[in-house]
Amino acid sequence: MPPPVLRFAPSSNGFLHLGHAFSALMNFESAQRRKGRFLLRIEDIDATRCRPEFETAIYQDLAWLGVSWEMPVRRQSEHLADYRAALDRLAMLGVLYPSFESRAEIAALVKAREVDGAWPRDPDGVPLYPGTAKSLAATERERRLRSGAPFALRLDMEAACRLAGRLTWIERGSGPDGETGEVLARPEVWGDVILARKDIPTSYHLSVVIDDALQGITDVMRGQDLFGSTAVHRLLQKILDLPQPVYNHHDLIRDSDGKKLSKSSEAIGLGELRTRGMTPREVRSFVGLP
Ligand code: GLU
């Protein structure tokens, strides 16, 4: 049996917090225990929010925790051609289309739809795409693309699901409702997700799937907040003919109010905790590791 390959894949759009420390340590130590490989990937596709100083801090914080990784580190911003090739393939399969509405236009469309009752939302609570760009005539689509208008490339969820058929994944951890073992993937609950934008030519869903495949990841271990996204990942893996890793979604580290730690909730960064005198041993004990 080839050795398992695990990875930690932070976005360099903020400082790592205790939740990241838990995930990185779980992956690193699982790879060590199983005589596998541990890779680090920097998810830096969003040039407007990712910054080199955050990336530097990621390396410092992980080293401080005692985590080491194989070189070179894969930085997503250096591999846009890989994502482009996947988008071309999806376009050829007829499951990709551009939409042209701005965020404000989408919000207005949702509001108009809600006059007749609630409009469906995805598992993150975001309204599904309400637009009609999928049925734009090819000539009109071309005209708008040529005009240089901003656009988002969306997955035609209905067509993609038809192409993929029934999808499952093997869950070695658990979902928020205790789902484990063979889990049925229901990507349709996400609607026509965005896979790329004019200004950011890929997306989390697309690049994570391509990179996990290109890096030969056998075990994806990550926070339970990404459990729902796995359905979209399985769908993309299936239609792009990519191997299927085993998934292990772990518990989230929460603050004293029970809210998950996140960069947006301004969870304290590991560097700041270090300055305040916290030791790696105390980090381990805080996140429940021996
Ligand atoms: N880059 C993602 C994050 O920082 C994690 C991606 C993954 O583990 O699949 O939340």
Side-chain angles (χ1 to χ4, degrees):
M1 270 262 284
V5 187
L6 289 90
R7 51 50 163 200
F8 176 57
S11 306
S12 51
N13 59 4
F15 293 117
L16 300 186
H17 52 61
L18 288 162
H20 295 108
F22 178 60
S23 202
L25 286 163
M26 290 271 283
N27 274 287
F28 174 62
E29 290 173 6
S30 171
Q32 279 196 318
R33 253 193 326 272
R34 298 166 60 197
K35 307 218 174 328
R37 299 172 55 204
F38 173 73
L39 310 181
L40 176 62
R41 179 165 81 224
I42 302 292
E43 304 213 323
D44 61 346
I45 51 175
D46 184 350
T48 59
R49 294 171 62 221
C50 291
R51 299 217 300 261
E53 55 269 36
F54 291 136
E55 186 177 325
T56 305
I58 289 172
Y59 301 138
Q60 284 168 349
D61 293 344
L62 292 179
W64 175 67
L65 289 171
V67 170
S68 56
W69 54 91
E70 286 183 19
M71 295 299 272
V73 168
R74 183 172 171 98
R75 301 169 76 234
Q76 291 189 323
S77 58
E78 292 167 355
H79 298 277
L80 298 182
D82 291 329
Y83 314 131
R84 178 74 255 164
L87 288 169
D88 288 347
R89 176 109 188 260
L90 293 170
M92 259 173 48
L93 291 167
V95 296
L96 204 62
Y97 68 91
S99 66
F100 299 92
E101 298 91 347
S102 65
R103 284 180 216 272
E105 282 164 342
I106 288 187
L109 283 172
V110 170
K111 209 162 159 205
R113 299 265 197 282
E114 291 205 309
V115 170
D116 306 324
W119 179 251
R121 278 155 208 263
D122 71 21
D124 286 344
V126 178
L128 301 196
Y129 171 63
T132 53
K134 191 163 97 174
S135 48
L136 272 185
T139 47
E140 177 58 14
R141 205 173 262 173
E142 278 311 309
R143 190 190 67 73
R144 293 202 198 178
L145 286 174
R146 265 201 315 272
S147 76
F151 61 87
L153 288 177
R154 292 180 182 272
L155 184 67
D156 179 342
M157 187 54 84
E158 214 185 308
C161 286
R162 221 178 305 120
L163 208 59
R166 185 172 184 276
L167 289 169
T168 61
W169 79 84
I170 301 300
E171 176 63 49
R172 293 240 173 92
S174 75
D177 295 320
E179 304 90 329
T180 194
E182 187 179 34
V183 175
L184 181 68
R186 297 192 52 235
E188 64 278 9
V189 299
W190 292 94
D192 289 359
V193 288
I194 293 178
L195 293 187
R197 294 179 190 276
K198 187 180 179 208
D199 52 342
I200 305 178
T202 181
S203 59
Y204 163 62
H205 291 313
L206 184 69
S207 45
V208 82
V209 157
I210 299 303
D211 285 351
D212 284 340
L214 286 176
Q215 295 193 289
I217 304 299
T218 59
D219 294 63
V220 171
M221 194 187 287
R222 61 187 175 193
Q224 223 163 46
D225 51 340
L226 291 170
F227 180 84
S229 299
T230 306
V232 178
H233 301 172
R234 282 294 300 120
L235 175 62
L236 291 173
Q237 283 158 0
K238 180 75 190 286
I239 53 186
L240 290 169
D241 260 330
L242 302 173
Q244 165 182 8
V246 163
Y247 288 88
N248 183 337
H249 291 92
H250 59 67
D251 286 347
L252 298 171
I253 304 299
R254 299 182 182 276
D255 64 16
S256 46
D257 301 329
K259 279 214 336 269
K260 85 163 174 121
L261 298 182
S262 71
K263 286 169 186 159
S264 48
S265 72
E266 307 208 336
I268 303 169
L270 295 177
E272 172 64 21
L273 293 174
R274 188 157 68 236
T275 309
R276 294 185 193 177
M278 197 166 185
T279 64
R281 189 185 290 270
E282 285 165 339
V283 170
R284 297 185 69 89
S285 133
F286 185 91
V287 300
L289 287 171

